[in-house]
Amino acid sequence: MDADVTDSAGPPSDPDRPAEDKPQDRSRDRSREESGRPEDETPGGTTSEGPSPEGPAPEDGAPQDDAPQEEGPAAPEADEAAAETGEGDSTEGGPAESGPKAGAEGGPKAAADADGVQTWADRPKDGIVAARKSHWLRWTALAASFLVLVAAGVGWWMYKKLDGNITTDTSAAAELKAYEKERPAPVVMDAQNILLIGSDSRAGDNRKYGRDDGGSQRSDTTILLHLAADRKSATAVSIPRDLMVEIPSCSTGDDKKSREQFTQFNTAFELGGTACTIRTVERMTGIRIDHHMVVDFNGFKGMVDAVDGVEICLKEPIDDKDAHLELPAGRQTLNGEEALGYVRARKSLGNGSDTERMERQQQFLGALVNKMQSNGVLLNPTRLYPVLDAATKSLTTDPGLDSLRDLYDLVRGMRDVPTEQVQFLTVPRQPYRNNPNRDELVEPDAGDLFKQLREDKPVAVVPADELEEAERDKESAQDGKPDDAGSESPTPTPTYSGSSAADDLCKQ
């Protein structure tokens, strides 16, 4: 039977009127009817006897909206209206909750408020934005992961390529191990002494630079590089190739041994290669050589080209056919090929001596270091890669420096050294007394220099003219003055003729 519901807000509904006439009125009546159900009403539309659990019965005269309904089936018109509007009992079997909008509005909004479920049309905008944001975040994360994988793959390929460029000199390591007992012991463990050898082999691609003597190699340039333990200074000492020294007995390429002899320095490399050169330097200086590198012409050219050339200044034009070099006077930037001719030229520059050539080599290397540091090459992996690629292609090292990681650690240790503390000098020498075309060490100056490096103590360098002027002033100050044997003063830092990477070649 139909429920008789009294609406305190308007006239009662007309039970004889068809359900299709006023769905909104019918929905309003249905909502009011539902709002008057006790909470323990069964899904079938019946109510249990007893007072409402929501509170005491209303006083006389109060609206009767919350009065309990008669038992019986729900009106078919109400069920039909509920089906049209989406209203109904909750899925859990309980009644739909009433709210302020349930009695005032019909349609989907009432259904959403009654059932606690929203339609897509009524979904909050922030929820849609959050869904879109989550969607894009997933795609962004996927793209970032892909880029990371690609970058890792490229980085690994670059690492393996550079690492594979380096040639390991295992034969030198084996021979040095055989003569371990005669080698000097390290004095300062964290300091590093590296022997840099520039090979002037004319074999292969280097044939155009001179006669090929069956692929034999000679040390055109040899530099002892000392890195201080605190990595605040680096001192590069050039050893003249014509310096007369004692060369020990060394293993030759034909499984024989050379005799011990007193001859010019670069003979050691020609006789016994790197190991013989290292043993000769160690015997002469008392300094333990920790690592060595052999770089040929192409490696040097590639490094200069990788930094887009090096700037120099020429007081006079150069035209040297042997060095394949023709340059005008003045400031200019040399590419790799021109730079190689500049550091190799001898007869057409200055007095044609090897001494002046070594000075040019030192100054050019200083300018190269300055270019790499000032342009941020050592701190920029993108710019450092071409330099390392050029260097490693023509680089032969001992097993301790034959990996890219080892070389990177070495470069990283040097990148913070101030350019004014990257110093270049030549071992103190003078014309050999028996042959002016050869050199010999000047003592005790050479011995003092080796001692400073061996013990990792500072060394100062100044231009040659400044050093000569300082020595003249010192001699004139001592003339006519007795020595003060009772006074003590700290030992001054030994000063030698040389240059630093901070020097501007165009201002000299």
Side-chain angles (χ1 to χ4, degrees):
M1 62 183 278
D2 294 336
D4 186 9
V5 180
T6 301
D7 191 347
S8 60
S13 59
D14 185 0
D16 297 330
R17 189 176 184 82
E20 303 81 84
D21 291 347
K22 291 185 178 181
Q24 293 183 353
D25 293 341
R26 200 166 51 247
S27 299
R28 185 179 298 109
D29 293 342
R30 176 63 174 172
S31 300
R32 289 172 181 156
E33 185 177 327
E34 289 178 345
S35 66
R37 294 178 184 170
E39 290 186 0
D40 59 346
E41 184 178 355
T42 61
T46 62
T47 61
S48 61
E49 296 180 2
S52 172
E54 295 182 0
E59 298 180 2
D60 294 341
Q64 301 298 317
D65 288 7
D66 295 334
Q69 307 296 319
E70 288 185 29
E71 296 180 7
E77 294 88 355
D79 291 340
E80 183 178 352
E84 292 177 0
T85 61
E87 290 183 17
D89 295 338
S90 66
T91 57
E92 296 180 1
E97 295 181 2
S98 62
K101 295 183 179 180
E105 298 180 12
K109 186 66 178 178
D113 290 341
D115 295 341
V117 179
Q118 293 178 329
T119 64
W120 281 102
D122 297 302
R123 189 175 183 181
K125 292 183 178 180
D126 57 349
I128 298 175
V129 173
R132 291 177 178 174
K133 184 177 181 181
S134 176
H135 173 76
W136 283 109
L137 284 175
R138 287 195 299 269
W139 275 104
T140 302
L142 181 62
S145 301
F146 176 75
L147 291 177
V148 168
L149 291 175
V150 171
V154 173
W156 178 249
W157 176 83
M158 292 170 60
Y159 178 87
K160 296 299 291 183
K161 181 178 184 297
L162 292 176
D163 202 56
N165 286 345
I166 305 171
T167 302
T168 306
D169 189 357
T170 56
S171 60
E175 182 169 356
L176 291 174
K177 186 176 181 180
Y179 290 95
E180 180 62 34
K181 292 183 179 180
E182 72 175 37
R183 300 183 66 191
V187 177
V188 180
M189 300 304 297
D190 292 333
Q192 292 281 310
N193 296 292
I194 305 171
L195 196 65
L196 307 177
I197 302 174
S199 171
D200 67 347
S201 171
R202 270 49 174 198
D205 294 337
N206 296 330
R207 187 178 296 107
K208 66 179 180 180
Y209 299 113
R211 185 182 70 256
D212 181 10
D213 297 329
S216 64
Q217 53 183 359
R218 292 163 291 182
S219 57
D220 185 67
T221 301
T222 303
I223 296 175
L224 173 60
L225 176 63
H226 174 77
L227 302 179
D230 59 8
R231 295 302 188 268
K232 293 183 179 180
S233 66
T235 305
V237 181
S238 295
I239 301 175
R241 66 176 188 175
D242 294 333
L243 182 68
M244 300 299 292
V245 295
E246 289 283 350
I247 297 179
S249 174
C250 299
S251 298
T252 60
D254 53 1
D255 295 331
K256 297 180 180 180
K257 287 186 176 295
S258 63
R259 61 181 179 84
E260 185 172 334
Q261 53 190 303
F262 183 77
T263 185
Q264 63 188 62
F265 173 73
N266 67 343
T267 304
F269 193 72
E270 187 175 356
L271 287 174
T274 305
C276 191
T277 301
I278 291 174
R279 292 175 59 209
T280 301
V281 172
E282 289 183 341
R283 173 178 289 195
M284 176 178 64
T285 64
I287 297 173
R288 171 83 175 210
I289 303 300
D290 301 297
H291 301 289
H292 70 269
M293 298 182 186
V294 180
V295 184
D296 71 10
F297 294 156
N298 289 314
F300 176 80
K301 290 191 303 181
M303 291 179 65
V304 174
D305 286 333
V307 297
D308 299 325
V310 176
E311 186 179 71
I312 64 166
C313 279
L314 297 176
K315 297 180 180 179
E316 298 177 356
I318 299 176
D319 186 6
D320 191 322
K321 295 181 180 180
D322 293 337
H324 303 276
L325 185 65
E326 183 176 355
L327 296 171
R331 183 189 295 267
Q332 53 201 293
T333 300
L334 304 185
N335 60 28
E337 188 70 33
E338 293 169 338
L340 179 60
Y342 178 72
V343 298
R344 291 184 63 247
R346 179 175 180 177
K347 298 177 181 179
S348 60
L349 293 179
N351 58 13
S353 67
D354 192 48
T355 300
E356 287 196 359
R357 182 169 68 168
M358 283 187 297
E359 291 176 355
R360 286 194 303 274
Q361 292 173 351
Q362 294 167 6
Q363 292 171 353
F364 188 87
L365 289 177
L368 176 60
V369 171
N370 194 14
K371 178 73 176 287
M372 294 177 67
Q373 288 195 342
S374 62
N375 285 19
V377 175
L378 299 180
L379 300 176
N380 187 340
T382 304
R383 300 201 63 186
L384 181 60
Y385 174 81
V387 177
L388 291 177
D389 185 43
T392 54
K393 283 180 179 178
S394 303
L395 187 65
T396 302
T397 74
D398 63 278
L401 282 181
D402 65 345
S403 72
L404 186 61
R405 175 174 296 181
D406 296 326
L407 289 177
Y408 178 75
D409 290 341
L410 179 64
V411 173
R412 185 177 59 180
M414 292 185 61
R415 67 186 182 187
D416 294 329
V417 179
T419 54
E420 62 270 13
Q421 292 301 319
V422 180
Q423 304 176 122
F424 299 88
L425 69 152
T426 301
V427 62
R429 86 280 183 218
Q430 62 188 9
Y432 180 44
R433 55 185 176 273
N434 295 329
N435 185 348
N437 294 322
R438 301 289 182 265
D439 291 324
E440 64 181 3
L441 296 176
V442 174
E443 297 294 357
D445 295 350
D448 292 342
L449 172 62
F450 300 148
K451 184 176 184 294
Q452 292 292 112
L453 299 179
R454 186 167 55 247
E455 298 177 358
D456 196 32
K457 293 181 178 180
V459 172
V461 299
V462 296
D465 54 350
E466 293 184 15
L467 181 61
E468 293 175 358
E469 183 177 354
E471 290 178 349
R472 287 194 300 266
D473 293 342
K474 182 179 179 180
E475 292 176 356
S476 59
Q478 291 179 348
D479 290 344
K481 295 183 180 179
D483 294 337
D484 188 358
S487 63
E488 293 184 1
S489 60
T491 303
T493 300
T495 303
Y496 300 91
S497 172
S499 61
S500 76
D503 294 341
D504 188 348
L505 300 182
C506 294
K507 292 183 179 180
Q508 297 181 4

